[in-house]
């Protein structure tokens, strides 16, 4: 084999990403509602400059695949353009800072996860981290709140549990198969720890009344359990699927029966009957989508920016209103495509496969809760939309999770178990 | 890997559902928006019945007073009205076209004849009540008055009781107009020959086997009468004895009444919706045929309740001679935002209320009775039954007149109600006369 | 009230006739194209990676000198169960018998508490480093790990 072909040429891809951003900026320039052209130029310069800076950084890194990097840059900067256009076109500095923080978290996530054996050895720290966060939540946030305020900054500690839980839920083939005998039962200690910590987290969330996060955690744990029940690459037998689905339905029914009345009230809400009360946000969100139509009212022309949480909880509607339903769906497809990359480039080891499933579970559940919640298909919970919502904590954790996803594509196989330290090879 | 595919697929399915749902319901969302500009509602001749931007200067101060409680408005305060239940047709919006302001052409074209409606409304003078009339072949509602009316220009404060709803759609004690139903039940049970052979004596009052007396409005009595005379005289003792007759089977009558649309002793009533507006129909409570309240129920007092709309529909079943009534409707057609007509009304008939033989028999008896009205309502061949309902323990009397015009070129069935009428005041006859004259 | 197809086309063409509509649509189209380009790249990356992987970790497992199975993951489950990566249809092998882990040019074999035990070159092991051409025995089944290059060279030699 010749030495020249060790690297693919990515110039075209990078060019396309930049051109796409330019076109979006062009749309802002032509249709936008802005006071001075300076704001648009400022936005454009920052978007394009950050694109280029990032591409320079990636070209230094040696990786098997850059797919997720390119998609990430594309998505994040489109998100920045969207966020800068609500109400009128003003460069959104806060969102830009969170994006930078998110990108840093993205790289940290990547570096921590890319060596599956090392990552697995972090597991005890993850338990410790979750424990610490739980203590923090118990000490600093009240029973009905999930925020800690530092001056003008506020942090949602429960968000950080998500990547830790994904770490905890992932397991290598060897660990999964190791069983210990405790009295009469042969059990996998790892699974027991996982279930225990999951139960603690869910109880904590219930206590905090952070109902929006419960489905996310539950989904991650469920995926992990399914992974563990159905051995690697085994076909899901019909019996097993039947049992799992049956159990799920029974659990949901029991939960609905036992749920206190105020939870039930939240489950069945006719928002139009309470148009100016509790249903106000959702009604306005739906009206916004309807007014936007397919192609939107134009950047900066929306009215949803007057509604609370327009840039977080009902961000899907706000984008729909200004850019049209097509654009909003396009953005979602972009995120989905990014989540689907493990299907094309399947992870090389079982641990990474587990991580990928966990990350996809978090994203899919978060996105469904956000979009379907704001559009009244399911109860409105106030969950953020990953990578688009304006929120530091959410952005950092989403970035970290995507970093983990990227790591599954670019594994490094190093394991320091032998006295003789092997020669490092970047895979 | 399968798990990832599964989750992504589930999410995609959810998205598709969401998009379809939003696409379908978007015009409903938009009518709640402050930016929405609603279309207009027209009567059959193009007169405006509802305009979101109406001012007294453009239409005249009293333009909407006679019809506003049927048409309603978009405030969400007046439910069960034409606009509130069909507001999506007026949205002036489609997902692709976006919101159309004044150049949108969404509208509802109703079957109402506004001129006639106004004339009937004015004919009530100072009295309150309800009048409803429709074409008993097609089902087009031509007149639907409910007084006290509502003036949308007058603000919504200090309103008279009952001015915010259309009374023709709500139940009242029907008085002697119930005897039309009792007559139909008796004919279904006996057949014409047996029914015509029955004759009972009236001496101004009748003591039934339950030892209570049912009085006649004629203190001196009507003497011996057959069904024709008993109906024409609206003789209460006659009908009490008809019900007490050994041939009269109460259980069978329950089934026949249910078939006619009554809710008997709490059974499910006939469900009627006119363009998404729910309409009350009929109900009664009957126990034992020698019981005073049961006999009283067959005569049209006590616990029997019927809506004017339902009374009118039975007239349709009688007048057509089929036993099936035309289903009434208010919306002739709507126009979409780009002006294309849509939702054309479909003529349909109800299930059979009673057999066609009964319809023909009752029609003849009503036509016979109608001959007595040639002086008060001249120029029409009418089948008519009047009624007086005692309400508030006899403190007030509601006056009814139901009937139909047998002229096939003028097929109108009607029900007119004047509340708390005292002698010397405006009569139901004169209102019917106004109604028929204006619909010619 | 749902809109009709004609309204859809009418509305769409109306929006497209404005400059605003076109610019948004172009942006969306370009996003599409961009996505496609990235994806095409992703496939070529995959191919490229596979080649690299083969070149670096080009190992195969030869079971009983007959079955040849390429080793393309860094974790391989050995056992009788049909979900195992390398199946040994023999009752002497446990359902999940052992895990072979590749890291940095070295294979590590871990026994999963199997009943009949795992042997490398005749020695029963719990966990051991396996080298190319070592004889690995699970129950009554044996297999070898070989480098693709060597196998191909052998073939060539035989032919010659």
């Amino acid at each position: 084999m010749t030495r020249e072909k060790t690297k693919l040429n990515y110039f075209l891809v990078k060019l396309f990403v930049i051109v796409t951003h330019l076109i979006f900026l062009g749309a802002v320039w032509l249709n936008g509602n802005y006071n001075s052209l300076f704001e648009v130029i400022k936005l454009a310069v920052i978007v394009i400059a950050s694109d280029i800076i990032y591409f320079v950084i990636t070209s230094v890194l040696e990786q098997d695949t850059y797919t997720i990097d390119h998609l990430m840059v594309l998505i994040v900067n489109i998100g920045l353009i969207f966020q800068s256009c609500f109400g009128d076109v003003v460069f959104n500095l806060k969102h830009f800072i969170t994006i930078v923080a998110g990108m840093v978290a993205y790289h940290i996530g990547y570096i921590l996860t890319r060596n599956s054996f090392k990552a697995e050895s972090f597991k005890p720290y993850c338990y410790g981290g979750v424990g610490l966060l739980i203590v923090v939540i118990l000490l600093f946030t009240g029973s009905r709140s999930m925020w800690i305020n530092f001056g003008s900054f506020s942090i949602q500690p429960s968000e950080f549990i998500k990547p830790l839980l994904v770490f905890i839920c992932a397991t290598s083939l060897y660990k999964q198969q190791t069983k210990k005998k405790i009295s009469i039962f042969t059990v996998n200690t790892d699974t027991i720890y996982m279930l225990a910590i999951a139960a603690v987290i869910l109880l904590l969330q219930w206590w905090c009344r952070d109902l929006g996060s419960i489905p996310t955690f539950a989904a991650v744990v469920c995926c992990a359990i399914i992974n563990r029940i159905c051995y690697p690459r085994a076909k899901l037998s019909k019996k097993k699927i039947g049992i799992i689905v049956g159990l799920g339905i029974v659990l949901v029914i029991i939960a609905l029966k036992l749920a206190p009345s105020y939870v039930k009230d939240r489950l069945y809400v006719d928002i139009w009957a309470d148009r100016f009360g509790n249903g106000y946000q959702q009604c306005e969100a739906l009206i916004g989508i309807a007014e936007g139509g397919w192609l939107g009212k134009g950047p900066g022309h929306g009215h949803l920016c007057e509604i609370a949480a327009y840039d977080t909880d009902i961000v899907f509607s706000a984008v729909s209103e200004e850019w049209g339903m097509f654009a909003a769906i396009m953005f979602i497809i972009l995120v989905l495509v990014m989540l689907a990359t493990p299907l094309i480039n399947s992870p090389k080891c079982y641990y990474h496969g587990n991580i990928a499933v966990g990350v996809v579970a978090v994203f899919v559940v978060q996105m469904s809760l956000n979009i379907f919640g704001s559009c009244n298909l399911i109860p409105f919970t106030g969950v953020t939309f990953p990578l688009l919502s304006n929120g530091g904590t959410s952005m950092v954790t989403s970035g970290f999770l995507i970093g983990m996803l990227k790591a599954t594509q670019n594994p490094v196989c190093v394991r320091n178990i032998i006295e003789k330290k092997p020669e490092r090879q970047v895979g | 890997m399968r798990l990832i595919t599964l989750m992504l697929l589930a999410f995609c399915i959810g998205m598709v559902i969401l998009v379809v749902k939003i696409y379908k319901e978007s015009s409903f969302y938009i009518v709640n928006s402050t930016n929405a500009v609603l279309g207009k509602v027209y009567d059959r001749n193009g007169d405006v019945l509802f305009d979101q931007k109406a001012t007294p200067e453009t239409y005249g101060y009293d333009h909407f007073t006679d019809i506003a409680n049927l048409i309603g408005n978009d405030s969400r305060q007046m439910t069960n009205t034409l606009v509130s239940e069909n507001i999506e047709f007026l949205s002036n919006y489609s997902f692709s076209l976006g919101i159309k302001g004044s150049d949108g052409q969404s509208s509802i074209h109703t079957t109402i004849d506004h001129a006639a409606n106004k004339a009937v409304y004015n004919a009530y003078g100072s009295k309150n009540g309800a009048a409803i009339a429709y074409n008993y072949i097609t089902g087009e509602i031509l007149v639907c008055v409910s007084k006290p009316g509502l003036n949308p220009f007058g603000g919504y404060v200090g309103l008279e009781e009952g001015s915010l709803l259309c009374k023709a759609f709500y139940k009242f004690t029907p008085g002697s107009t119930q005897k039309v139903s009792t007559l139909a039940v008796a004919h279904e049970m006996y057949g014409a020959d047996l029914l015509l052979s029955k004759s009972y004596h009236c001496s101004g009052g009748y003591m039934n086997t339950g030892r209570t007396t049912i009085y006649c409005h004629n203190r001196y009595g009507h003497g011996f009468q057959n069904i024709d005379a008993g109906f024409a005289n609206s003789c209460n003792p006659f009908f009490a004895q008809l019900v007490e007759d050994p041939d009269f089977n109460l259980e069978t009558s329950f089934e026949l009444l249910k078939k006619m649309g009554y809710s008997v002793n709490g059974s499910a009533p006939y469900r009627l919706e006119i363009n998404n507006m729910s309409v009350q129909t009929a109900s009664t409570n009957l126990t034992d045929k020698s019981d005073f309240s049961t006999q009283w129920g067959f005569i049209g007092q006590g616990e029997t309740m019927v809506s004017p709309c339902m009374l009118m529909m039975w007239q349709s079943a009688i007048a057509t001679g089929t036993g099936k009534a035309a289903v009434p409707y208010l919306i002739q057609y709507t126009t979409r935002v780009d002006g294309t007509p849509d939702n054309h009304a479909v003529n349909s008939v109800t299930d059979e209320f009673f057999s066609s033989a009964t319809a023909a028999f009752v029609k003849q008896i009503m036509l016979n009775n109608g001959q007595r009205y040639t002086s008060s309502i001249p120029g029409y061949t009418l089948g008519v039954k009047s009624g007086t309902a005692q309400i508030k323990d006899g403190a007030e009397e509601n006056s009814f007149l139901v009937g139909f015009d047998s002229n096939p070129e003028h097929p109108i069935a009607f029900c007119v109600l004047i509340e708390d009428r005292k002698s010397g005041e405006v009569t139901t006859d004169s209102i019917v006369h106004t109604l028929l004259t204006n619909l010619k | 009230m749902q809109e009709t197809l004609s309204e859809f086309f009418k509305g769409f063409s109306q929006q497209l006739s404005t400059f605003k509509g076109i610019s948004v649509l172009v942006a969306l189209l370009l996003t599409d194209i961009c996505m496609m380009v990235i994806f095409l790249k992703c496939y070529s990356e995959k191919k490229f990676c596979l080649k690299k992987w083969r070149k670096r970790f080009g190992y195969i497992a030869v079971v009983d000198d007959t079955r040849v199975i390429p080793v393309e993951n860094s974790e391989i489950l050995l056992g009788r169960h049909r979900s195992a990566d390398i199946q040994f249809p023999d009752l002497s092998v446990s359902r999940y018998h052992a895990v072979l882990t590749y890291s940095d040019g070295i294979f590590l074999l871990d026994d999963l508490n199997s009943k009949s035990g795992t042997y490398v070159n005749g020695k029963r092991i719990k966990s051991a480093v396996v080298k190319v051409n070592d004889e690995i025995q699970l129950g009554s089944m044996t297999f070898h790990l070989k480098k693709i290059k060597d196998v191909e060279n052998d073939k060539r030699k035989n032919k010659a």
Side-chain angles (χ1 to χ4, degrees):
Chain A
M1 280 219 197
T2 45
R3 203 80 183 113
E4 293 93 345
K5 271 208 84 182
T6 49
K7 241 185 162 186
L8 289 165
N9 193 351
Y10 290 99
F11 180 71
L12 193 67
V13 177
K14 288 170 184 171
L15 187 72
F16 261 103
V17 171
I18 292 176
V19 169
T20 308
H21 284 151
L22 276 176
I23 297 281
F24 266 94
L25 291 164
V28 174
W29 176 47
L30 293 170
N31 316 321
N33 166 25
Y34 46 82
N35 294 325
S36 71
L37 197 59
F38 175 67
E39 288 292 342
V40 183
I41 294 171
K42 193 162 124 194
L43 179 66
V45 166
I46 287 173
V47 167
I48 300 302
S50 60
D51 277 358
I52 292 170
I53 290 171
Y54 189 76
F55 288 143
V56 168
I57 293 172
T58 46
S59 65
V60 174
L61 299 169
E62 201 178 322
Q63 289 167 211
D64 280 351
T65 141
Y66 295 90
T67 313
I68 291 189
D69 294 277
H70 294 137
L71 280 172
M72 183 76 176
V73 172
L74 185 65
I75 289 172
V76 158
N77 272 343
I78 290 179
L80 177 61
I81 297 173
F82 283 165
Q83 284 282 355
S84 298
C85 290
F86 294 140
D88 55 17
V89 181
V90 172
F91 168 64
N92 193 332
L93 183 68
K94 191 192 163 205
H95 194 68
F96 181 69
I97 293 170
T98 59
I99 282 177
V100 172
M103 288 313 266
V104 171
Y106 166 66
H107 272 279
I108 295 172
Y110 165 58
I111 288 162
L112 284 183
T113 327
R114 62 180 176 169
N115 185 334
S116 62
F117 304 107
K118 242 187 204 163
E120 209 178 351
S121 66
F122 289 149
K123 216 176 223 181
Y125 301 111
C126 293
Y127 283 110
V130 170
L132 189 72
L133 283 173
I134 288 174
V135 170
V136 166
I137 290 172
L138 285 177
L139 286 181
F140 291 103
T141 72
S143 156
R144 299 290 144 108
S145 147
M146 37 197 174
W147 297 90
I148 300 179
N149 298 313
F150 292 111
S152 64
F153 258 102
S154 52
I155 299 182
Q156 195 177 357
S158 63
E159 280 276 324
F160 292 119
I161 298 180
K162 282 169 193 166
L164 291 178
L165 193 66
V166 172
F167 268 128
I168 287 171
C169 286
T171 168
S172 72
L173 206 49
Y174 176 66
K175 275 272 176 60
Q176 184 185 315
Q177 298 298 336
T178 320
K179 284 174 181 160
K180 258 189 193 164
K181 239 184 176 168
I182 299 173
S183 63
I184 35 169
F185 299 105
T186 315
V187 287
N188 185 340
T189 44
D190 195 46
T191 312
I192 298 297
Y193 289 146
M194 180 195 87
L195 289 177
I197 201 93
V200 170
I201 292 172
L202 289 180
L203 275 177
L204 181 78
Q205 295 302 316
W206 184 257
W207 177 74
C208 287
R209 298 281 172 266
D210 183 5
L211 300 179
S213 296
I214 288 179
T216 318
F217 293 123
V220 174
V221 174
C222 276
C223 286
I225 291 170
I226 292 173
N227 260 335
R228 280 154 202 241
I229 293 172
C230 311
Y231 286 105
R233 291 165 213 88
K235 275 182 187 146
L236 287 169
S237 70
K238 277 176 192 164
K239 226 181 184 176
K240 275 177 184 166
I241 292 178
I243 290 170
I244 291 167
V245 170
L247 267 177
I249 291 170
V250 168
L251 273 177
V252 167
I253 290 171
I254 290 173
L256 280 182
K257 281 243 166 112
L258 294 181
S261 59
Y262 64 89
V263 177
K264 278 184 188 163
D265 286 348
R266 278 181 78 164
L267 285 180
Y268 320 103
V269 187
D270 180 10
I271 54 166
W272 300 103
D274 199 5
R275 168 86 174 76
F276 293 102
N278 289 327
Y280 183 66
Q281 249 177 316
Q282 282 163 287
C283 288
E284 289 298 325
L286 286 171
I287 291 169
I289 296 177
E291 285 186 7
W294 294 117
L295 296 176
K297 288 165 141 181
H301 291 287
H303 83 280
L304 279 182
C305 55
E306 293 151 15
I307 314 297
Y310 69 95
D311 57 352
T312 52
D313 295 353
I314 57 169
V315 72
F316 175 77
S317 312
V319 171
S320 282
E321 190 194 16
E322 296 199 338
W323 292 85
M325 186 111 112
F326 277 149
I329 292 173
M330 181 63 64
F331 189 85
I332 290 164
I333 290 174
L334 273 177
V335 177
L336 287 185
V337 158
M338 187 160 71
L339 296 178
T341 41
L343 295 178
I344 295 172
N345 210 339
S346 51
K348 286 284 183 290
C349 65
Y350 186 68
Y351 180 81
H352 276 156
N354 266 316
I355 295 259
V357 169
V359 171
V360 172
V362 171
F363 268 72
V364 164
V365 172
Q366 288 240 71
M367 272 159 55
S368 351
L369 284 178
N370 179 282
I371 299 170
F372 302 151
S374 64
C375 297
N376 201 31
L377 269 187
I378 52 172
F380 190 47
T381 45
V383 173
T384 53
F385 190 110
L387 298 179
L388 179 58
S389 286
N390 187 352
T393 328
S394 152
M395 199 64 182
V396 168
T397 41
S398 310
F400 194 85
L401 285 167
I402 293 294
M404 287 161 74
L405 194 68
K406 177 185 165 188
T408 68
Q409 309 281 293
N410 298 296
V412 179
C413 303
V414 180
R415 190 179 188 185
N416 302 320
I417 36 145
I418 311 146
E419 293 84 9
K420 178 190 84 175
K421 204 172 180 189
E423 184 196 357
R424 189 186 161 93
Q425 277 183 334
V426 179
Chain B
M1 292 306 99
R2 276 209 185 82
L3 222 51
I4 294 182
T5 327
L6 211 72
M7 282 190 287
L8 293 180
L9 262 181
F11 183 75
C12 289
I13 292 168
M15 274 318 290
V16 170
I17 293 173
L18 180 78
V19 170
V20 170
K21 183 184 165 221
I22 289 177
Y23 185 59
K24 277 191 166 176
E25 295 182 356
S26 56
S27 62
F28 170 72
Y29 303 152
I30 218 74
V31 294
N32 289 292
S33 163
T34 45
N35 298 338
V37 180
L38 295 183
K40 291 175 186 168
V41 177
Y42 298 97
D43 85 334
R44 61 191 299 113
N45 302 317
D47 198 7
V48 174
L49 299 182
F50 171 77
D51 181 352
Q52 198 183 17
K53 299 210 161 83
T55 56
E57 287 75 33
T58 46
Y59 293 100
Y61 187 71
D62 273 328
H63 184 81
F64 300 109
T65 310
D66 60 304
I67 198 77
N69 49 19
L70 171 69
I71 301 297
N73 62 18
D74 58 322
S75 67
R76 299 197 155 262
Q77 305 296 319
M78 288 180 76
T79 53
N80 208 34
T81 55
L82 187 75
V83 169
S84 71
E85 302 306 312
N86 299 283
I87 196 159
E88 281 172 60
F89 294 130
L90 298 176
S91 66
N92 259 334
Y93 167 86
S94 83
F95 199 79
S96 302
L97 286 166
I99 295 180
K100 290 281 166 185
S102 46
D103 52 340
Q105 296 176 54
S106 289
S107 67
I108 294 177
H109 290 257
T110 64
T111 56
I112 292 281
D113 185 331
H114 192 207
N117 205 72
K118 195 163 244 176
V120 172
Y121 181 86
N122 292 334
Y124 271 92
S126 61
K127 301 308 291 180
N128 288 335
I132 182 166
Y134 84 145
N135 181 319
Y136 60 72
I137 293 171
T138 60
E140 298 161 78
I141 296 178
L142 302 165
V143 164
C144 187
V145 168
S146 174
K147 206 165 177 275
L150 170 74
N151 192 338
F153 300 133
Y156 292 85
V157 284
L159 295 170
E160 284 180 75
E161 196 192 331
S163 61
L164 286 173
L165 47 84
C166 177
K167 287 182 191 167
F169 296 161
Y170 295 88
K171 290 193 285 191
F172 289 87
T173 306
S176 296
T177 52
Q178 171 73 2
K179 286 171 187 159
V180 177
S181 301
T182 307
L183 173 64
V185 167
H187 183 270
E188 289 277 275
M189 203 184 292
Y190 294 154
D193 295 337
L194 183 56
L195 183 56
L196 283 171
S197 70
K198 301 274 178 193
S199 125
Y200 306 105
H201 185 262
C202 164
S203 57
Y206 167 71
M207 185 180 285
N208 67 11
T209 42
R211 314 301 283 163
T212 41
T213 308
I214 287 176
Y215 291 102
C216 187
H217 57 86
N218 183 345
R219 269 188 289 156
Y220 307 107
H222 293 104
F224 277 100
Q225 312 160 86
N226 70 350
I227 184 73
D228 210 359
F231 186 83
N233 293 333
S234 198
C235 178
N236 289 348
F238 178 89
F239 278 89
Q241 290 172 76
L242 182 71
V243 171
E244 233 179 51
D245 194 283
D247 289 338
F248 193 91
N249 184 332
L250 198 66
E251 295 300 320
T252 317
S253 77
F254 287 176
E255 293 312 310
L256 294 169
L257 283 171
K258 282 178 193 168
K259 194 177 158 197
M260 284 181 69
Y262 282 91
S263 152
V264 181
N265 299 336
S267 72
Y270 175 68
R271 275 181 54 82
L272 178 63
E273 270 198 356
I274 299 178
N275 297 115
N276 299 327
M277 288 183 276
S278 64
V279 178
Q280 294 183 346
T281 50
S283 64
T284 186
N285 278 322
L286 307 168
T287 48
D288 180 5
K289 61 188 206 173
S290 60
D291 175 45
F292 172 77
S293 74
T294 301
Q295 291 174 2
W296 209 222
F298 275 107
I299 291 164
Q301 312 284 3
E303 294 178 47
T304 301
M305 302 281 274
V306 186
S307 70
C309 184
M310 195 66 191
L311 286 168
M312 176 188 78
M313 282 171 71
W314 287 324
Q315 295 305 310
S316 165
I318 293 163
T320 54
T322 58
K324 298 173 184 169
V327 177
Y329 60 83
L330 269 167
I331 297 181
Q332 193 74 52
Y333 65 95
T334 65
T335 55
R336 307 189 66 95
V337 60
D338 58 354
T340 48
D342 194 13
N343 297 301
H344 289 277
V346 183
N347 299 340
S348 59
V349 290
T350 61
D351 292 336
E352 199 179 77
F353 286 138
F354 34 77
S355 68
S356 53
T358 300
F361 183 84
V362 177
K363 183 177 182 180
Q364 193 51 52
I365 285 188
M366 287 191 70
L367 282 172
N368 294 346
N369 188 36
Q371 284 165 5
R372 303 192 309 161
Y373 290 80
T374 42
S375 59
S376 58
I377 314 172
Y380 301 94
T381 318
L382 300 178
V384 173
K385 181 76 191 89
S386 66
T388 304
Q390 295 178 353
I391 55 165
K392 298 182 184 166
D393 290 328
E396 287 180 15
E397 285 190 341
N398 286 352
S399 184
F400 279 90
L401 194 67
V402 300
F404 57 88
D405 187 342
S406 68
N407 180 359
E409 285 173 10
H410 199 225
I412 287 166
F414 56 84
C415 174
V416 168
L417 156 68
I418 300 176
E419 287 176 301
D420 192 15
R421 197 190 93 86
K422 296 180 181 69
S423 62
E425 293 177 329
V426 61
T427 61
T428 49
D429 304 12
S430 69
I431 290 177
V432 168
H433 189 234
T434 312
L435 189 150
L436 291 173
T437 319
N438 278 283
L439 283 179
K440 230 172 185 178
Chain C
M1 192 174 63
Q2 212 186 336
E3 65 174 15
T4 56
L5 209 62
S6 73
E7 263 171 24
F8 173 73
F9 286 120
K10 213 162 153 186
F12 217 73
S13 56
Q14 234 172 62
Q15 285 193 1
L16 278 189
S17 60
T18 59
F19 206 64
K20 181 178 109 186
I22 293 174
S23 62
V24 171
L25 211 67
V26 166
L28 295 180
L29 273 179
L30 214 83
T31 319
D32 261 344
I33 295 170
C34 191
M35 211 153 71
M36 247 157 53
V37 168
I38 291 177
F39 249 63
L40 287 177
K41 212 67 193 173
C42 182
Y43 269 103
S44 61
E45 270 173 347
K46 189 188 175 182
K47 250 192 232 161
F48 190 72
C49 262
L50 208 66
K51 237 185 230 165
K52 227 161 69 176
W53 177 275
R54 285 235 172 91
K55 196 176 140 203
R56 267 192 206 152
F57 322 102
Y59 295 99
I60 48 169
V62 181
V63 181
D64 287 347
D65 292 328
T66 48
R67 271 167 63 209
V68 176
I69 298 154
V71 178
E72 285 187 348
N73 283 322
S74 58
E75 269 182 313
I76 297 141
L77 184 62
L78 312 170
R80 199 179 72 228
H81 196 268
R82 67 191 159 90
S83 66
D85 297 283
I86 302 179
Q87 284 177 44
F88 299 90
D90 190 288
L91 282 176
S92 64
V93 181
S94 298
R95 267 176 303 178
Y96 303 106
H97 197 108
V99 178
L100 194 62
T101 321
Y102 178 86
S103 81
D104 219 3
I106 287 161
F107 279 103
L108 186 75
L109 188 65
D110 290 292
D111 186 77
L112 293 172
N113 295 330
S114 62
K115 274 179 193 154
S116 49
T118 308
Y119 298 84
V120 177
N121 294 332
K123 260 196 254 167
R124 179 156 188 170
I125 54 108
K126 182 93 188 79
S127 173
V129 176
V130 181
K131 293 188 198 79
V132 173
N133 288 335
D134 276 354
E135 189 188 77
I136 303 166
Q137 195 187 335
L138 311 174
S140 62
M141 307 288 279
T142 56
F143 78 100
H144 301 268
L145 282 173
K146 286 183 175 172
K147 271 201 164 174
I148 295 177
K149 257 189 215 160
D150 298 343
V151 176
E152 278 170 357
N153 286 344
D154 283 352
K155 271 183 194 165
R156 249 174 254 156
K157 268 180 203 166
N158 289 345
K159 270 181 191 171

